[in-house]
Amino acid sequence: MSNVLHEKLANLYEEVIRRNAGEREFHQAVHEVLDSLGPVVAKHPEYADTAVIRRLCEPERQIIFRVPWVDDAGVVQINRGFRVEFNSALGPFKGGLRFHPSVYLGIVKFLGFEQIFKNSLTGLPIGGGKGGSDFDPKGRSDGEIMRFCQSFMTELYRHLGEYTDVPAGDIGVGTREIGFLFGQYKRITNRYESGVLTGKGLTWGGSQVRTEATGYGTVFFIDEMLRAKGESFEGKRVLVSGSGNVAIYAIEKIHQLGGTVVGCSDSSGHVLDEKGIDVDVLREVKEVRRGRISDYVELRAGGASFIADNSIWDLGCDIAVPCATQNELTGAHAAALIRSGCKVVAEGANMPCTPEAVKLFNEAGVLFAPGKAANAGGVATSALEMQQNASRDSWTFEETEERLAEIMRRIHDRCLSTAEEYGQPGNYAFGANIAGFIRVADAMSALGLV
């Protein structure tokens, strides 16, 4: 892929920048998709001529609201809430809620735009949306988080519904937060509408494997990439950035498949454990103690080291799995990975690699899997949760995991075959963008001018 857009798309991109000033992440996400669509527009000019692509870049609805709440000291706090309902051509809006200080409209729009194509690739009937708040749950008590979630849902509930918009979790929003949000939705509406939120607890409508799904799904996708090259995880040295939900379960599944994850990280630094990251210790640090990654070294009791400076990507690996946040892996990091002999990079987070990094990977022949394909397992399993809620059913862990693995296989094969069809064999990002786009664009065309 290049930085020069097809002539029919260049003017559209300029319009996106003008109409969405200052939203850098959204600009980046739109450019990354438009950069792949030149061959599609050449083959199917009607997508541009009927403004399908232009409409796709404009959300159906953008909701911004005030979230007042009271902290444990009795002080009134004010945060800002967002929900961008981007595209419902394939089904109800579907996408997570992110609670993090970095959240603003541009972040939510970038995530929602990515979600359109990710959800399309799953083959399931779900549209794309995203939401969140600049609220930071770190250091807050359960009571404070509950009061914030209740205030957040008091406004958001009127925009939700199992056939309208179905949020899930994201950074800063796990089962605890989903529980508080669902409780308030139930209280306000007087309906036990299980399908209105996903990521619920197993005892009240949740799905087996939902917690593990994004991490597991990313690894299933990598496994298919390796299989396509006649290889496997066996004996591979792996780095996984982040240490939250996605990273933890990616590490677990990589170890099950024969790889060794030697490093993971959080915002304070990273750890190196040549024997392989101990997932039980990592869970203790992050899920029980809610501590920092440096605590891992103490609990591991020898053999691991904490590094506050430098980057986790300087450690070198065969496979890199960025699972933290957007634009964390830069061109300099990509160059270091390439020098170390890295052969595969798969995005467990949403757009964690900068455009420069992706360009370097492509030039060096590194297999690169974009987040909209590789980390689609989370939303795929959310859709499976919706299916179980609708039928008042519950599936076993093994049954759900097999369905997830099959969905990831289909996404992999669809990306690979589409890249081949449009003249970019082996380019997963190219294939993912086009395959995701065509399914949504055809649905939009079928529904008329809406």
Side-chain angles (χ1 to χ4, degrees), residues 272-289:
L272 172 63
D273 188 342
E274 293 287 0
K275 293 181 294 185
I277 296 294
D278 188 313
V279 175
D280 291 335
V281 173
L282 186 59
R283 279 203 198 96
E284 173 69 23
V285 170
K286 288 297 181 177
E287 297 180 350
V288 180
R289 300 189 179 195

Side-chain angles (χ1 to χ4, degrees), residues 118-135:
K118 180 186 300 186
N119 293 1
S120 172
L121 284 169
T122 67
L124 301 169
I126 44 178
K130 207 75 178 185
S133 174
D134 57 2
F135 170 74

Side-chain angles (χ1 to χ4, degrees), residues 165-186:
D165 188 349
V166 183
D170 194 88
I171 294 172
V173 179
T175 305
R176 173 182 57 176
E177 289 75 18
I178 292 294
F180 293 146
L181 291 165
F182 182 70
Q184 185 71 351
Y185 181 88
K186 182 172 93 60

Side-chain angles (χ1 to χ4, degrees), residues 398-411:
E398 292 73 20
E399 181 181 5
T400 310
E401 184 178 10
E402 180 50 43
R403 291 189 183 215
L404 169 62
E406 178 56 34
I407 290 169
M408 297 312 296
R409 281 192 289 270
R410 289 202 306 263
I411 294 173

Side-chain angles (χ1 to χ4, degrees), residues 61-292:
R61 190 173 295 108
Q62 302 179 62
I63 304 154
I64 305 177
F65 53 96
R66 180 179 64 198
V67 187
W69 58 284
V70 179
D71 67 19
D72 286 344
V75 177
V76 174
Q77 302 288 339
I78 305 293
N79 286 99
R80 185 172 287 177
F82 303 89
R83 187 67 180 174
V84 174
E85 297 176 331
F86 223 117
N87 191 286
S88 60
L90 294 175
F93 304 105
K94 186 81 189 79
L97 299 170
R98 175 176 293 191
F99 292 170
H100 191 272
S102 66
V103 170
Y104 78 108
L105 185 59
I107 290 281
V108 179
K109 283 166 72 173
F110 127 64
L111 292 168
F113 187 74
E114 287 278 292
Q115 200 76 40
I116 299 169
F117 305 96
K118 180 186 300 186
N119 293 1
S120 172
L121 284 169
T122 67
L124 301 169
I126 44 178
K130 207 75 178 185
S133 174
D134 57 2
F135 170 74
D136 188 358
K138 283 185 180 177
R140 294 293 182 181
S141 69
D142 285 352
E144 288 175 319
I145 290 171
M146 180 186 71
R147 292 191 291 276
F148 171 81
C149 288
Q150 289 175 338
S151 181
F152 185 87
M153 183 54 80
T154 298
E155 171 58 34
L156 187 62
Y157 88 93
R158 68 192 79 237
H159 305 289
L160 306 183
E162 60 182 315
Y163 300 110
T164 306
D165 188 349
V166 183
D170 194 88
I171 294 172
V173 179
T175 305
R176 173 182 57 176
E177 289 75 18
I178 292 294
F180 293 146
L181 291 165
F182 182 70
Q184 185 71 351
Y185 181 88
K186 182 172 93 60
R187 181 184 185 188
I188 293 171
T189 64
N190 194 32
R191 294 197 303 271
Y192 204 105
E193 192 179 336
S194 297
V196 77
L197 284 167
T198 59
K200 301 182 293 295
L202 292 177
T203 57
W204 44 281
S207 171
Q208 298 277 3
V209 193
R210 179 59 191 90
T211 303
E212 297 87 352
T214 306
Y216 276 20
T218 301
V219 177
F220 287 145
F221 194 95
I222 299 170
D223 193 43
E224 293 300 318
M225 295 171 77
L226 292 169
R227 287 175 187 271
K229 294 291 185 181
E231 298 185 37
S232 72
F233 269 105
E234 198 66 41
K236 297 291 193 300
R237 176 185 171 93
V238 187
L239 294 174
V240 176
S241 67
S243 51
N245 186 67
V246 179
I248 287 171
Y249 290 103
I251 294 168
E252 180 176 88
K253 183 56 65 175
I254 289 167
H255 287 170
Q256 289 175 9
L257 295 180
T260 303
V261 179
V262 298
C264 62
S265 63
D266 66 12
S267 58
S268 67
H270 59 276
V271 294
L272 172 63
D273 188 342
E274 293 287 0
K275 293 181 294 185
I277 296 294
D278 188 313
V279 175
D280 291 335
V281 173
L282 186 59
R283 279 203 198 96
E284 173 69 23
V285 170
K286 288 297 181 177
E287 297 180 350
V288 180
R289 300 189 179 195
R290 299 187 186 276
R292 308 304 286 161

Side-chain angles (χ1 to χ4, degrees), residues 363-432:
E363 291 174 349
V366 175
L367 292 176
F368 172 74
K372 62 174 64 71
N375 72 34
V379 74
T381 307
S382 280
L384 298 181
E385 182 176 331
M386 292 167 66
Q387 184 177 340
Q388 292 170 82
N389 292 158
S391 61
R392 301 293 192 268
D393 199 0
S394 181
W395 305 337
T396 66
F397 189 98
E398 292 73 20
E399 181 181 5
T400 310
E401 184 178 10
E402 180 50 43
R403 291 189 183 215
L404 169 62
E406 178 56 34
I407 290 169
M408 297 312 296
R409 281 192 289 270
R410 289 202 306 263
I411 294 173
H412 170 272
D413 293 348
R414 191 174 296 127
C415 292
L416 206 56
S417 62
T418 304
E420 180 83 32
E421 178 184 350
Y422 282 88
Q424 293 281 340
N427 190 327
Y428 286 94
F430 193 84

Side-chain angles (χ1 to χ4, degrees), residues 297-309:
V297 177
E298 177 187 348
L299 290 180
R300 184 64 159 143
S305 57
F306 172 71
I307 304 164
D309 301 322

